[in-house]
Structures are given as structure tokens and as C-alpha cells.
Amino acid sequence: MTKENMIGAFTLDQFKQKMRVNNANEALTNPGFETQITSTTQVITKVLETNYYELNGQKLSDFTPIETGMGAFKTDLTQYATKAQGIDFKACLINPTSGAFNLDGQTDIEIGEETYPNNFFRDTYTVTKEGAEIAARNIIPLDLVGAKERARKKKFDLGLQEAWFLGLDDGRSYGLLNQPSAVVDTSTLNGKNLSAMTDDEFATFIATIRAYYDNITNSTAMFDRLMLPQQEYFKLDKVFGQFGLSRRSILDDVLKEAGGKIVYTRYNTTAGTGGGARYALYKYDPDYIEGYLPLEYTPYPLFPINDLDMVSQCMAQFVTPQVKRKNILVYLDVVAPST
């Protein structure tokens, strides 16, 4: 064996093996730094809790139904959609007293496919030997693995949140606030946010909004979500009339009658026509609108990438909200009247 292929008394392969053993033993005996496996296991149980940091306690599932664990690793999720075919209702009526033979009506279904683009997410972080040793020798030991995992999970949470509401700007995955099939109304709010309306204007909005939506859906659905700009949600603490009730509590009562709720995001503030505020009315139902997480955020344990350093990878897949029925999602945009 030539000297150039030796490190001290060891060959290169012997030295690599010794370093692997040394790293493993040091991680076990050094009280300032947990073993890789234990630390990663502890982190995984924490990061899988769903935390969306900008939504003030709300979750994405408060906005749309979410189907999880279905169709992982498919490039496009496929669902079957059906519609009835055959002669119309009146043609099925018979006259049993006519004495003539009557032909039964025929009904069948047409089966078609709907595909939704499935987006793949993957991210990696490394833990270097030097970084682990520095973390272990702090005055207060730092859980380096935990800190990196939390940072990665937060990136995913915030990115998914933005994609859920604004889409991905790729012409395939739209958000809840920019669906191309939505009904866009720029006149109902008459250029005013709900907090800026007079008492009479607000009373008119409350008195007419359900009939307005009922007319759009041809009396086949009633909204149970009202989505507001975040600042508007807070401003609706404003008292309405002389009864001591806030405008928000009155809106809450309207939604509660349909078994629904008010939701709000900061994205609504500029999502409307011309960059103005956008309100949204829709029915929360997987038959009407739904998002998908075929593969939830999944971190994988650390594994070696060389003699000294470790790497951790994660994967996820998501399909942004899909509107499954026309005229179910209505945007009310605040557009200032032209002068």
C-alpha cells in the first residue's frame, strides 16, 4: 500500500469506516447533542401538526374541504364526473287510460374524466459535522436538526398557504381567490367595504345577499362561507345602528343560519379587480369545491452524504382548490366608482 493512499495507519476505506463509528459513538455519548435518529423522530411528531402562520388560528380546511392521501405520485389527479342523459321529464309522462301502448322513457349517464394538476414539492437540508459540533458546544445546546426542520416546515406551510389562495401563476393551479370560472361582481358593494357603508347600505346588503346568491345558483345552493379581507374582518367590530350589535355579529348570524362561518385572509385585500379588495361567497362542500393533499408534508430521517455530513429530504404533493360546479363561487369586488 503506497503512502499516498494511507491516512496515518489506515487505508482510505478503513479511515472512512472509523469516522462513521466515531460519529455514531460521539452522538451517543455527548450530552449536548441528541442522536440523529432520536432528534429527527422528535421533530417529525412536531412538524406534522398543521400550522399556517398568517391565518390567526384558521386552517386551510376552514376555507375548503381537503382530500388527503389520495392519488399520491400521480402527475394529475383523475376523477370521474357524470351527468344524466336521455329524454326529458315531461316525455316520461304516460296516459294509462288512453288504451294505447306507452313507451317508457330512457335514462343513462355520461361518464367523463376531470383531471387536476398535482404539484410536487421537495426540499433538502444538510447538517455538517462542524455545525453539529458548534451547536453542541453552545452555552445552551442548540437542537440544530430541530431548528432546520422547523424552518423547512414553515417554508412549506407559508408557500402552500399562498398557493391555496393565489395559485402558482402557471395557468394550471389557481387559488381560491383567482378562479377563472368564478362569477365576478363589481357592482353589489358599490365601491365600499362593509365597514365603510352607512347603516342603511349595510342593512340593504344583509337583507339582499342571500336572495342575490340564490338567484345566481338558480335556487340550487346557498353559500355557507363569506371570505373577507383580514383588515375588514377586524373593522367589523363597528357597532351597527343603535342596538349595540357589531356588524360582524350580524354577518355571523347570517352565516350561522346556513350552518356556515366567516373566514378571512390578508390576500383578499388586493385580490380584486384593479388590485382592490375581494369578498367571496361560496358553498363549502367537496361536491362543489375542494383541494387535495395527495402526499402530506413528509420528512425523512437524516442519512450520510459523506464521512462527516448528513442530509434530510422531505416530500409533499398538493392540488390547489378546484371549483367543480359553475356559479358556485362569487367574487364581490370593491371597485371605486368612476368620476
Side-chain angles (χ1 to χ4, degrees):
M1 180 68 66
T2 62
K3 191 171 184 179
E4 287 78 9
N5 293 324
M6 303 286 290
I7 299 179
F10 302 100
T11 66
L12 288 175
D13 288 338
Q14 289 172 335
F15 181 78
K16 289 179 181 179
Q17 182 61 29
K18 182 172 179 60
M19 287 302 296
R20 290 192 185 100
V21 173
N22 181 68
N23 286 343
N25 289 336
E26 185 167 350
L28 285 168
T29 58
N30 189 336
F33 187 70
E34 291 185 87
T35 64
Q36 308 288 17
I37 298 300
T38 300
S39 181
T40 304
T41 303
Q42 290 180 349
V43 170
I44 286 175
T45 61
K46 297 176 185 176
V47 301
L48 290 184
E49 298 174 4
T50 304
N51 294 308
Y52 301 101
Y53 298 90
E54 303 286 329
L55 298 178
N56 296 297
Q58 303 170 101
K59 297 181 179 180
L60 288 187
S61 56
D62 291 326
F63 292 83
T64 65
I66 300 176
E67 182 79 45
T68 61
M70 182 180 74
F73 301 105
K74 284 182 62 67
T75 54
D76 291 286
L77 298 193
T78 303
Q79 284 192 335
Y80 291 111
T82 65
K83 66 178 180 180
Q85 284 187 323
I87 61 178
D88 63 23
F89 170 79
K90 290 183 179 179
C92 296
L93 300 180
I94 64 172
N95 182 1
T97 63
S98 67
F101 289 103
N102 294 282
L103 189 64
D104 290 337
Q106 297 292 319
T107 297
D108 204 340
I109 61 169
E110 176 185 329
I111 301 176
E113 292 183 349
E114 293 185 0
T115 59
Y116 310 130
N118 189 16
N119 300 283
F120 287 65
F121 172 88
R122 186 167 71 179
D123 196 11
T124 300
Y125 68 78
T126 58
V127 178
T128 65
K129 175 67 173 176
E130 293 80 7
E133 294 296 341
I134 290 170
R137 286 161 175 75
N138 261 334
I139 295 176
I140 300 176
L142 171 67
D143 180 359
L144 187 64
V145 176
K148 291 195 174 194
E149 186 58 77
R150 286 192 297 272
R152 181 168 68 179
K153 181 57 163 53
K154 185 170 183 177
K155 181 206 297 188
F156 175 79
D157 283 343
L158 294 179
L160 179 63
Q161 171 184 303
E162 182 168 315
W164 211 259
F165 298 115
L166 300 181
L168 297 176
D169 297 323
D170 60 0
R172 299 172 69 246
S173 297
Y174 296 96
L176 187 54
L177 288 169
N178 58 10
Q179 291 287 331
S181 63
V183 177
V184 180
D185 183 322
T186 58
S187 61
T188 295
L189 293 176
N190 198 27
K192 291 184 178 180
N193 281 301
L194 295 180
S195 65
M197 291 179 175
T198 65
D199 285 349
D200 287 342
E201 289 170 335
F202 183 73
T204 298
F205 176 83
I206 293 297
T208 59
I209 191 61
R210 281 185 288 199
Y212 164 85
Y213 189 83
D214 181 73
N215 183 61
I216 287 179
T217 63
N218 198 28
S219 300
T220 59
M222 180 50 62
F223 69 89
D224 54 13
R225 285 293 185 276
L226 170 59
M227 190 173 172
L228 305 177
Q230 181 170 288
Q231 290 304 312
E232 271 304 294
Y233 180 81
F234 298 142
K235 289 179 180 179
L236 288 175
D237 286 332
K238 181 178 181 179
V239 174
F240 173 67
Q242 301 176 353
F243 302 101
L245 298 174
S246 70
R247 296 189 174 194
R248 189 195 309 157
S249 67
I250 295 172
L251 281 173
D252 275 332
D253 288 340
V254 171
L255 271 295
K256 286 176 182 177
E257 287 192 23
K261 64 192 296 185
I262 298 173
V263 289
Y264 57 94
T265 80
R266 61 185 178 87
Y267 304 102
N268 291 64
T269 305
T270 57
T273 304
R278 168 162 283 179
Y279 296 68
L281 300 170
Y282 58 98
K283 184 171 179 61
Y284 182 98
D285 189 302
D287 288 337
Y288 296 82
I289 187 169
E290 188 174 24
Y292 300 88
L293 292 175
L295 178 65
E296 295 186 87
Y297 178 88
T298 306
Y300 293 94
L302 290 159
F303 61 88
I305 53 174
N306 53 41
D307 294 323
L308 299 174
D309 303 328
M310 308 287 284
V311 63
S312 173
Q313 295 179 331
C314 75
M315 289 187 67
Q317 294 169 49
F318 64 93
V319 175
T320 53
Q322 301 294 316
V323 177
K324 300 179 179 180
R325 180 176 159 183
K326 292 182 179 179
N327 299 338
I328 201 66
L329 176 61
V330 180
Y331 297 143
L332 304 178
D333 287 358
V334 179
V335 179
S338 57
T339 57

